[in-house]
Amino acid sequence: MLARTAGDLFWLARYMERADYVARLLQVAGHMNAVRVDTNRSSEWESAIVASGCRESFNAAGDTPDEESVIRFLAFERDNPSSIVNCIETARRNARSVRTSLTTEMWEAVNQTSIELTDFIQTPLDADRLAEFLDWVKARVGLFHGVCSNGMLRRDSFCFIRTGQFLERADNTARLLDVKYHVQLPDVSDVGGVVDYYQWLAILRVVGARRAYRVLFKGRVQPAHVAELLISRGVFPRSLAFCYEQITQHLDAIKAQDPQLASDAKRHAHAMYAHLRFANIDEVIEDGLHEYLTDVIDRTRDLGAEIAKGHLF
């Protein structure tokens, strides 16, 4: 496969996954802001900016992190490459350039999403319309991944799409957990309190893991259990371990189809998968969850660079 085609497929999946993640962030930020009990600490809207990885660009714009500005910046801002609008439109451009590598259903899913997006951009959004928009984004991304899974041949095109999807998801999951632990709960005295409980519950809502948590752990939400679910439990499809398991499988498949490709990314991915799959959560928390997650974020970024160097350019 041509490196340019591989790169467009890889980033098509990353941008679709990112749109879904940002929509989930905005949904939960709105919910948490509505039940807020402490107006002195940083807002859920500020936390959403941090969790999206857009703090520097948002601060550079000089806006205050309130509901209106954050929704505009993360959902519709043209100057923000990670806004939902830009993610969907960039995904469509990538899909158009690799049209012949996609199934008809995949192209229609991306193209129709871009067409319907215009209606939301041109219509003023009240609270109900915003909720409809965010649900629509999640549904459209889910449709794209569904038709991809059910219609594509298991060849290198499929593997590059899945590698991009799960690399983006791993980065998002790590950032989300890190924001909760390091930004939203600065005071030790808050641990175990009402704010702490609802913030951990919000993490589960973002990744759609409330039912999964109840099945695996039962009882009241515990920080260590949430961390375990999202780091090392490979049975949950948004955990870091699951994401890296998928990355390793698809990089292995790409390598098998073209043995001449570099192996650095493949080795890095396997090392990360073992690191996450066999993580002892008690030791991780004792040594510092923030430091652990920062390392995961850095290594995930490095893996993305290695994939680009070895496969996409």
Side-chain angles (χ1 to χ4, degrees):
M1 173 179 287
L2 293 175
R4 181 176 178 180
T5 300
D8 286 339
L9 291 168
F10 178 81
W11 282 104
L12 162 62
R14 290 201 69 166
Y15 277 113
M16 291 298 284
E17 184 69 22
R18 191 174 301 176
D20 174 84
Y21 173 69
V22 174
R24 291 171 182 273
L25 271 183
L26 288 175
Q27 280 187 323
V28 174
H31 174 80
M32 287 300 299
N33 194 65
V35 299
R36 190 170 179 76
V37 296
D38 185 353
T39 58
N40 293 322
R41 67 172 68 250
S42 60
S43 71
E44 302 301 330
W45 299 110
E46 183 178 357
S47 297
I49 287 291
V50 177
S52 69
C54 299
R55 176 164 55 181
E56 291 185 5
S57 56
F58 181 84
N59 290 341
D63 291 329
T64 300
D66 55 25
E67 180 176 2
E68 181 179 358
S69 64
V70 171
I71 290 175
R72 174 186 54 76
F73 188 80
L74 292 183
F76 304 107
E77 180 57 66
R78 294 291 182 178
D79 292 333
N80 174 19
S82 294
S83 70
I84 292 174
V85 166
N86 277 338
C87 285
I88 291 174
E89 293 184 347
T90 304
R92 185 191 180 278
R93 287 195 295 271
N94 287 344
R96 185 176 182 180
S97 68
V98 291
R99 174 68 184 84
T100 56
S101 296
L102 305 177
T103 66
T104 300
E105 290 80 7
M106 288 177 66
W107 163 248
E108 289 178 349
V110 178
N111 189 50
Q112 188 63 31
T113 298
S114 181
I115 293 172
E116 294 178 9
L117 177 65
T118 305
D119 294 335
F120 288 102
I121 295 174
Q122 296 176 347
T123 305
L125 299 185
D126 56 18
D128 291 339
R129 184 67 170 165
L130 176 63
E132 179 185 348
F133 170 66
L134 298 178
D135 283 335
W136 172 82
V137 171
K138 294 195 301 180
R140 296 305 301 185
V141 174
L143 173 64
F144 170 78
H145 289 315
V147 296
C148 173
S149 178
N150 292 325
M152 282 198 84
L153 292 173
R154 268 39 178 183
R155 302 179 67 180
D156 49 1
S157 297
F158 178 81
C159 293
F160 278 113
I161 286 177
R162 282 300 195 234
T163 300
Q165 175 191 354
F166 286 105
L167 189 72
E168 181 68 28
R169 183 175 292 184
D171 182 74
N172 292 338
T173 298
R175 288 181 184 277
L176 182 66
L177 260 180
D178 191 39
V179 166
K180 166 63 190 80
Y181 194 83
H182 190 64
V183 176
Q184 293 203 45
L185 193 65
D187 299 323
V188 175
S189 60
D190 289 332
V191 175
V194 174
V195 174
D196 188 35
Y197 173 78
Y198 279 106
Q199 286 175 349
W200 284 112
L201 189 60
I203 297 295
L204 296 178
R205 290 184 183 218
V206 172
V207 297
R210 294 181 66 188
R211 177 173 175 79
Y213 183 92
R214 289 197 300 268
V215 170
L216 293 174
F217 299 105
K218 302 178 176 61
R220 184 180 174 88
V221 174
Q222 300 291 334
H225 288 163
V226 176
E228 180 181 342
L229 175 65
L230 297 186
I231 291 175
S232 62
R233 285 297 186 112
V235 293
F236 181 60
R238 290 186 181 272
S239 71
L240 293 173
F242 182 91
C243 291
Y244 266 92
E245 180 182 22
Q246 294 297 307
I247 293 169
T248 58
Q249 288 179 2
H250 293 302
L251 288 179
D252 286 348
I254 292 170
K255 179 69 172 178
Q257 293 176 47
D258 189 351
Q260 300 302 315
L261 290 173
S263 299
D264 291 346
K266 180 173 174 287
R267 287 193 294 267
H268 187 164
H270 276 275
M272 276 297 295
Y273 173 56
H275 177 64
L276 294 163
R277 177 65 182 85
F278 300 105
N280 184 307
I281 297 303
D282 292 334
E283 292 179 0
V284 168
I285 293 176
E286 182 178 351
D287 293 339
L289 182 58
H290 169 63
E291 290 74 17
Y292 183 89
L293 293 169
T294 298
D295 179 65
V296 170
I297 292 169
D298 291 343
R299 292 172 69 176
T300 299
R301 181 191 62 239
D302 293 344
L303 176 59
E306 290 174 359
I307 292 173
K309 180 180 178 181
H311 301 284
L312 309 183
F313 299 106

